[in-house]
Amino acid sequence: MPTITVPLGARTYPVHIERGLVSHLGPTLREALGECAVMIVTDDNVAPLYLKQVQDSLEEAGFRTGSVVLPHGEQTKCLDSLISLYNDLCAMGVTRKDAVLALGGGVIGDLAGLAAATYLRGVRFVQVPTTLLAQVDSSVGGKVAVDLPQGKNLVGAFYQPEAVFCDPETLNTLTDEYWRDGLGEVIKYGCIGDETLFALLERCAPGGREALMAEIDVILTRCVQAKADVVAQDERDTGLRMTLNFGHTVAHAVETCQHYEGLRHGEAVGLGMHVITRLTERKGMTEPGTADRLDALLSGLGMPMTLPDIPEEQLLAAMGHDKKNAGKTLRIIALERIGKCFIHQTDTGFFQGIT
Ligand code: NAD
Ligand code: GLY
């Protein structure tokens, strides 16, 4: 199985990628954790699909297990769920040598990770991501959080897992909507640092999801490697890690204006990459032809290509371009060309005329 290492000194950990892994996770996990109890946290979409096979496999390998099934969706990533998880961990008698296992997408990973980071000042944590987004992004890098009514991810920590186990076959049960969601981030990795990945995606695009799934091991490996490289150099998100935000300035603005009820995050990221690259190419900052190449891939993979009908001043305000922020420095990620990005310091007004 391909294994990528996230090299973080004493907190170095492996990301294993293997088809069918969820059904025989027990022995592999036993090697990683030794003897301990494991609390599996999942949601009500993932539980009927994968909980029994994971739990059976863990029990067969000698783990004492418990499980918590939470409602699916972003609204679960909140303080109330965190408190309810603490209660479950107390009831199971989880100690510091025991582990929390997140089985699900980014919502479950972020929430269970924050519970693991804080319960008893930190218990062991393992990620078994089951969405494309979680496999290529949220399960690697140690950002864990819950949302507040005031905004997303406002209470959180950097808390690295002890290991990540990706089973690409779990992606077969994802809806097309969540598949596209993860695809936005996959394309992003190609754009910012991996032209070989980008070219592979171009070759697969005409065959759609099926063709991409045929190459999924390579795709996941390249994405996770890219994330591991960035996280290793900037775990605490003070510089280079910002490059993972390519396309995100516009994406966040669109999501905010749509009150998170319109485009999915990855779709908004796709749109954001399209908008920023058209803009920077027009401004002479990006190699000519880059935007056409990116747009062909985005549209070939069914990503939305037109900004929703949102007044420009509202979009700019959501990016911090309101009067209060006039003159405020803004750092954006732009492409020099496909496979190479840079951080550009600019100010308000950069995005004027995008709609
Ligand atoms: P999600 O966890 O809500 O999962 C998406 C949907 O797919 C859910 O309905 C879920 O029940 C379902 N699902 C999960 N796996 C499935 C499977 N194999 N088959 C069928 N259905 C399945 O959302 P997500 O897109 O995975 O993650 C989004 C969250 O991740 C957001 O809260 C975001 O803030 C967070 N995030 C965190 C980081 C990080 O670095 N920690 C990075 C990016 C995003
Ligand atoms: N998803 C961006 C990061 O992990 O920093």
Side-chain angles (χ1 to χ4, degrees):
M1 73 174 119
T3 297
I4 296 108
T5 301
V6 186
L8 289 168
R11 287 166 298 108
T12 292
Y13 58 93
V15 181
H16 303 290
I17 300 170
E18 186 186 340
R19 289 177 191 242
L21 187 56
V22 287
S23 58
H24 55 269
L25 196 56
T28 318
L29 198 63
R30 190 65 189 224
E31 253 176 59
L33 297 183
E35 194 182 331
C36 68
V38 179
M39 172 65 98
I40 305 166
V41 182
T42 190
D43 74 26
D44 57 1
N45 282 335
V46 177
L49 296 165
Y50 305 111
L51 177 57
K52 184 169 163 24
Q53 45 183 307
V54 168
Q55 198 156 13
D56 285 354
S57 170
L58 263 58
E59 301 243 326
E60 272 165 33
F63 289 106
R64 180 169 74 89
T65 68
S67 63
V68 184
V69 181
L70 297 162
H72 66 275
E74 185 70 27
Q75 64 285 357
T76 284
K77 223 179 91 173
C78 66
L79 286 173
D80 284 349
S81 307
L82 190 64
I83 291 166
S84 120
L85 265 186
Y86 292 144
N87 287 329
D88 295 320
L89 293 168
C90 280
M92 187 177 160
V94 166
T95 69
R96 275 197 193 144
K97 76 173 181 52
D98 298 324
V100 170
L101 184 155
L103 174 68
V107 163
I108 291 299
D110 282 13
L111 168 71
L114 185 57
T118 47
Y119 183 67
L120 301 180
R121 298 197 179 90
V123 300
R124 304 165 79 189
F125 179 44
V126 173
Q127 292 255 26
V128 184
T130 61
T131 63
L132 182 55
L133 181 138
Q135 293 188 354
V136 299
D137 188 0
S138 62
S139 66
V140 179
K143 284 187 181 175
V144 295
V146 294
D147 304 333
L148 293 182
Q150 292 88 338
K152 267 176 66 70
N153 298 322
L154 292 186
V155 180
F158 288 97
Y159 194 67
Q160 302 293 342
E162 291 203 17
V164 181
F165 300 91
C166 290
D167 181 348
E169 281 179 5
T170 59
L171 304 179
N172 287 325
T173 51
L174 269 188
T175 61
D176 282 338
E177 186 192 18
Y178 286 111
W179 169 259
R180 263 199 312 279
D181 202 8
L183 220 43
E185 302 290 349
V186 171
I187 298 167
K188 176 195 78 181
Y189 287 114
C191 287
I192 63 174
D194 188 347
E195 196 187 359
T196 305
L197 171 63
F198 194 93
L200 173 63
L201 299 174
E202 288 178 315
R203 284 197 299 282
C204 291
R209 184 168 169 173
E210 203 181 316
L212 290 162
M213 275 307 284
E215 297 288 347
I216 196 71
D217 305 54
V218 180
I219 292 170
L220 293 180
T221 303
R222 296 196 83 96
C223 292
V224 171
Q225 187 64 61
K227 179 128 192 202
D229 290 346
V230 170
V231 169
Q233 294 173 70
D234 180 24
E235 183 185 5
R236 293 276 164 160
D237 205 1
T238 57
L240 184 70
R241 193 161 175 169
M242 195 185 305
T243 57
L244 298 175
N245 281 342
F246 174 53
H248 284 58
T249 308
V250 172
H252 286 148
V254 169
E255 289 177 288
T256 305
C257 293
Q258 294 188 321
H259 308 288
Y260 293 91
E261 283 168 0
L263 293 179
R264 292 283 315 157
H265 176 68
E267 294 176 326
V269 168
L271 194 55
M273 294 190 291
H274 152 72
V275 168
I276 185 79
T277 306
R278 280 271 158 225
L279 198 59
T280 54
E281 194 173 309
R282 214 162 54 224
K283 289 176 190 275
M285 299 160 67
T286 297
E287 195 175 280
T290 304
D292 279 348
R293 198 175 162 196
L294 174 58
D295 287 358
L297 180 62
L298 288 167
S299 59
L301 289 173
M303 303 295 283
M305 299 292 293
T306 36
L307 275 170
D309 196 12
I310 302 167
E312 182 166 312
E313 62 276 13
Q314 211 178 316
L315 263 182
L316 298 187
M319 285 180 212
H321 287 245
D322 53 14
K323 287 201 192 75
K324 271 201 318 278
N325 285 328
K328 191 178 163 188
T329 301
L330 182 73
R331 278 186 289 185
I332 54 148
I333 315 306
L335 297 187
E336 190 179 309
R337 54 179 164 76
I338 296 294
K340 190 157 178 13
C341 68
F342 60 97
I343 301 172
H344 175 66
Q345 195 144 306
T346 180
D347 60 20
T348 56
F350 187 85
F351 287 95
Q352 255 157 23
I354 55 166
T355 54

mmCIF file of all heavy atoms in Angstrom, residues 137 140-141 143 188 227 231 237 241 244-245 248, ligand 2:
data_model
loop_
_atom_site.group_PDB
_atom_site.id
_atom_site.type_symbol
_atom_site.label_atom_id
_atom_site.label_comp_id
_atom_site.label_asym_id
_atom_site.label_seq_id
_atom_site.Cartn_x
_atom_site.Cartn_y
_atom_site.Cartn_z
ATOM 1 N N ASP A 137 -7.385 16.326 1.946
ATOM 2 C CA ASP A 137 -7.170 17.612 2.607
ATOM 3 C C ASP A 137 -7.334 17.539 4.129
ATOM 4 O O ASP A 137 -6.364 17.532 4.883
ATOM 5 C CB ASP A 137 -8.136 18.652 1.983
ATOM 6 C CG ASP A 137 -7.865 20.068 2.457
ATOM 7 O OD1 ASP A 137 -6.938 20.259 3.257
ATOM 8 O OD2 ASP A 137 -8.577 20.996 2.029
ATOM 9 N N VAL A 140 -5.360 15.342 6.870
ATOM 10 C CA VAL A 140 -3.904 15.488 6.957
ATOM 11 C C VAL A 140 -3.575 16.921 7.354
ATOM 12 O O VAL A 140 -4.117 17.859 6.770
ATOM 13 C CB VAL A 140 -3.245 15.173 5.586
ATOM 14 C CG1 VAL A 140 -1.737 15.350 5.637
ATOM 15 C CG2 VAL A 140 -3.604 13.772 5.147
ATOM 16 N N GLY A 141 -2.740 17.080 8.350
ATOM 17 C CA GLY A 141 -2.296 18.442 8.671
ATOM 18 C C GLY A 141 -2.671 18.937 10.047
ATOM 19 O O GLY A 141 -2.163 19.955 10.500
ATOM 20 N N LYS A 143 -5.389 20.279 11.496
ATOM 21 C CA LYS A 143 -6.338 21.331 11.873
ATOM 22 C C LYS A 143 -7.636 20.664 12.315
ATOM 23 O O LYS A 143 -8.241 19.914 11.540
ATOM 24 C CB LYS A 143 -6.622 22.261 10.693
ATOM 25 C CG LYS A 143 -5.504 23.238 10.410
ATOM 26 C CD LYS A 143 -5.936 24.224 9.336
ATOM 27 C CE LYS A 143 -4.837 25.207 9.006
ATOM 28 N NZ LYS A 143 -5.205 26.091 7.871
ATOM 29 N N LYS A 188 -6.795 21.800 -7.333
ATOM 30 C CA LYS A 188 -5.966 22.826 -6.683
ATOM 31 C C LYS A 188 -4.528 22.341 -6.492
ATOM 32 O O LYS A 188 -3.572 23.061 -6.795
ATOM 33 C CB LYS A 188 -6.586 23.189 -5.328
ATOM 34 C CG LYS A 188 -5.769 24.177 -4.530
ATOM 35 C CD LYS A 188 -6.223 24.221 -3.081
ATOM 36 C CE LYS A 188 -5.684 23.034 -2.287
ATOM 37 N NZ LYS A 188 -6.124 23.036 -0.882
ATOM 38 N N LYS A 227 0.208 17.850 0.306
ATOM 39 C CA LYS A 227 -0.205 18.455 1.576
ATOM 40 C C LYS A 227 0.831 18.203 2.656
ATOM 41 O O LYS A 227 1.167 19.100 3.437
ATOM 42 C CB LYS A 227 -1.587 17.929 2.000
ATOM 43 C CG LYS A 227 -2.021 18.517 3.332
ATOM 44 C CD LYS A 227 -3.361 19.148 3.341
ATOM 45 C CE LYS A 227 -3.553 19.957 4.623
ATOM 46 N NZ LYS A 227 -4.921 20.196 4.967
ATOM 47 N N VAL A 231 2.646 21.000 4.958
ATOM 48 C CA VAL A 231 2.444 20.978 6.409
ATOM 49 C C VAL A 231 3.789 20.805 7.137
ATOM 50 O O VAL A 231 4.038 21.422 8.173
ATOM 51 C CB VAL A 231 1.446 19.860 6.794
ATOM 52 C CG1 VAL A 231 1.421 19.619 8.295
ATOM 53 C CG2 VAL A 231 0.048 20.206 6.288
ATOM 54 N N ASP A 237 0.690 27.254 9.964
ATOM 55 C CA ASP A 237 -0.009 28.123 9.016
ATOM 56 C C ASP A 237 0.401 29.597 9.131
ATOM 57 O O ASP A 237 -0.442 30.489 9.223
ATOM 58 C CB ASP A 237 -1.530 27.989 9.279
ATOM 59 C CG ASP A 237 -2.359 28.332 8.059
ATOM 60 O OD1 ASP A 237 -1.767 28.655 7.013
ATOM 61 O OD2 ASP A 237 -3.598 28.291 8.165
ATOM 62 N N ARG A 241 1.818 27.420 4.088
ATOM 63 C CA ARG A 241 0.548 26.671 4.114
ATOM 64 C C ARG A 241 -0.581 27.474 3.455
ATOM 65 O O ARG A 241 -1.572 26.920 2.993
ATOM 66 C CB ARG A 241 0.219 26.283 5.560
ATOM 67 C CG ARG A 241 -0.886 25.260 5.676
ATOM 68 C CD ARG A 241 -0.895 24.559 7.017
ATOM 69 N NE ARG A 241 -2.045 23.681 7.112
ATOM 70 C CZ ARG A 241 -2.238 22.777 8.053
ATOM 71 N NH1 ARG A 241 -1.345 22.615 9.002
ATOM 72 N NH2 ARG A 241 -3.312 22.017 8.073
ATOM 73 N N LEU A 244 -2.183 26.651 0.103
ATOM 74 C CA LEU A 244 -3.308 25.706 -0.019
ATOM 75 C C LEU A 244 -4.620 26.460 -0.187
ATOM 76 O O LEU A 244 -5.659 25.864 -0.447
ATOM 77 C CB LEU A 244 -3.381 24.803 1.218
ATOM 78 C CG LEU A 244 -2.169 23.903 1.481
ATOM 79 C CD1 LEU A 244 -2.328 23.151 2.787
ATOM 80 C CD2 LEU A 244 -1.978 22.915 0.329
ATOM 81 N N ASN A 245 -4.558 27.765 0.009
ATOM 82 C CA ASN A 245 -5.772 28.573 -0.114
ATOM 83 C C ASN A 245 -5.964 29.132 -1.520
ATOM 84 O O ASN A 245 -6.751 30.057 -1.710
ATOM 85 C CB ASN A 245 -5.755 29.726 0.897
ATOM 86 C CG ASN A 245 -6.148 29.232 2.270
ATOM 87 O OD1 ASN A 245 -6.740 28.163 2.399
ATOM 88 N ND2 ASN A 245 -5.797 29.989 3.288
ATOM 89 N N HIS A 248 -9.354 30.247 -2.752
ATOM 90 C CA HIS A 248 -10.236 30.315 -1.589
ATOM 91 C C HIS A 248 -10.737 31.721 -1.263
ATOM 92 O O HIS A 248 -11.750 31.859 -0.579
ATOM 93 C CB HIS A 248 -9.547 29.710 -0.352
ATOM 94 C CG HIS A 248 -9.514 28.204 -0.367
ATOM 95 N ND1 HIS A 248 -8.927 27.484 -1.397
ATOM 96 C CD2 HIS A 248 -9.990 27.266 0.508
ATOM 97 C CE1 HIS A 248 -9.044 26.183 -1.150
ATOM 98 N NE2 HIS A 248 -9.684 26.029 0.005
HETATM 99 N N1 GLY B 2 -7.111 23.147 4.212
HETATM 100 C C1 GLY B 2 -6.056 24.084 4.412
HETATM 101 C C2 GLY B 2 -5.070 23.676 5.442
HETATM 102 O O1 GLY B 2 -5.051 22.577 5.924
HETATM 103 O O2 GLY B 2 -4.273 24.489 5.803
#
